[in-house]
């Protein structure tokens, strides 16, 4: 009889401004899921999508919590960020205020999660792309380095949906956990 797979659960907090691509990010992770019946719910504006998948020798159950963009939710970020194993910040490169909005949301979080992603999606029109896109990307890369965030860049939402988002999140949260899921390796990771 085969051994049962260890089951691990954790939360990913998804943050970004309106039209940044948060929902596409979560949908991309859900599309990788091995259980499309896992579930979706909404609580006071926060969208929660449960994603179940196999990762290494684990069954993972990941709750993606998508925070609304409205300013009234910003004071809640420390609470949700404090229980998340990973924080995914999503920015649309076409938003001229994307860097400022990102910095404001990071300041509201206060302290970084054990791991995080900075996902930059979109592209500027070809006529403005080279210099302006580079000017917008440099401060975003600096923020990622300063906060210890893995930087992911997608030219389009379609590219992001093919980007193995769930696998990237699991790599960050569980990548160096031994196959046995020894509890000592989970200390401080906000994984159960």
């Amino acid at each position: 009889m085969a051994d049962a797979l260890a089951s691990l659960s954790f939360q990913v907090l998804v943050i970004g401004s309106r039209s940044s691509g948060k929902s596409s990010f979560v949908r991309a992770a859900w599309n990788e899921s091995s259980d499309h019946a896992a579930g979706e719910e909404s609580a006071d504006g926060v969208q929660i999508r449960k994603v179940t998948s196999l990762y290494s020798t684990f069954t993972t159950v990941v709750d993606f919590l998508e925070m609304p963009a409205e300013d009234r939710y910003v004071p809640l970020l420390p609470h949700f960020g404090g229980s998340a194993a990973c924080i995914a910040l999503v920015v649309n490169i076409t938003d001229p205020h994307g860097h400022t909005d990102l910095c404001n949301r990071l300041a509201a979080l206060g302290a970084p999660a054990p791991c995080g992603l900075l996902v930059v999606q979109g592209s500027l029109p070809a006529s403005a792309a080279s210099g302006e896109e580079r000017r917008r990307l440099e401060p975003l890369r600096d923020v990622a380095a300063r906060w210890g965030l893995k930087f992911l860049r997608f030219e389009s939402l379609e590219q992001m949906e093919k980007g193995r988002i769930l696998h990237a999140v699991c790599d960050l949260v569980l990548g160096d956990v031994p196959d046995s899921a020894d509890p000592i390796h989970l200390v401080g990771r906000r994984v159960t």
Side-chain angles (χ1 to χ4, degrees):
M1 183 166 126
D3 293 335
L5 294 176
S7 180
L8 299 174
S9 301
F10 59 91
Q11 292 180 342
V12 176
L13 180 62
V14 183
I15 304 170
S17 61
R18 186 173 309 285
S19 300
S20 63
K22 297 183 306 287
S23 295
S24 294
F25 175 84
V26 174
R27 191 172 33 258
W30 185 79
N31 286 339
E32 285 181 66
S33 174
S34 60
D35 178 8
H36 286 110
E40 182 175 357
E41 60 186 90
S42 180
D44 294 326
V46 177
Q47 298 294 319
I48 304 165
R49 186 170 271 187
K50 186 177 294 292
V51 176
T52 303
S53 187
L54 296 177
Y55 177 79
S56 183
T57 59
F58 308 112
T59 297
T60 60
V61 180
V62 184
D63 288 332
F64 283 85
L65 296 101
E66 182 183 338
M67 293 298 290
E70 290 83 14
D71 288 342
R72 67 186 179 107
Y73 290 96
V74 171
L76 299 175
L77 292 179
H79 169 73
F80 284 99
S83 62
C86 182
I87 295 176
L89 299 126
V90 184
V91 177
N92 187 331
I93 194 72
T94 64
D95 180 358
H97 306 290
H99 176 260
T100 302
D101 182 72
L102 170 67
C103 290
N104 290 339
R105 291 175 195 278
L106 283 168
L109 276 170
C115 62
L117 295 168
L118 175 54
V119 180
V120 179
Q121 67 86 19
S123 58
L124 296 173
S127 60
S130 62
E132 181 64 16
E133 191 162 308
R134 192 169 30 255
R135 187 184 70 72
R136 291 185 187 185
L137 279 173
E138 285 177 18
L140 294 171
R141 287 184 194 277
D142 290 344
V143 167
R146 209 169 37 249
W147 279 75
L149 304 170
K150 180 176 179 175
F151 188 88
L152 297 177
R153 173 78 173 101
F154 299 102
E155 299 287 324
S156 66
L157 294 176
E158 294 79 21
Q159 187 185 39
M160 182 168 33
E161 289 189 5
K162 296 176 185 172
R164 297 187 39 90
I165 297 298
L166 182 58
H167 191 81
V169 167
C170 288
D171 278 349
L172 276 175
V173 176
L174 303 171
D176 61 345
V177 174
D179 289 345
S180 64
D182 183 354
I184 195 70
H185 293 284
L186 300 176
V187 172
R189 293 177 193 251
R190 303 178 186 160
V191 175
T192 57

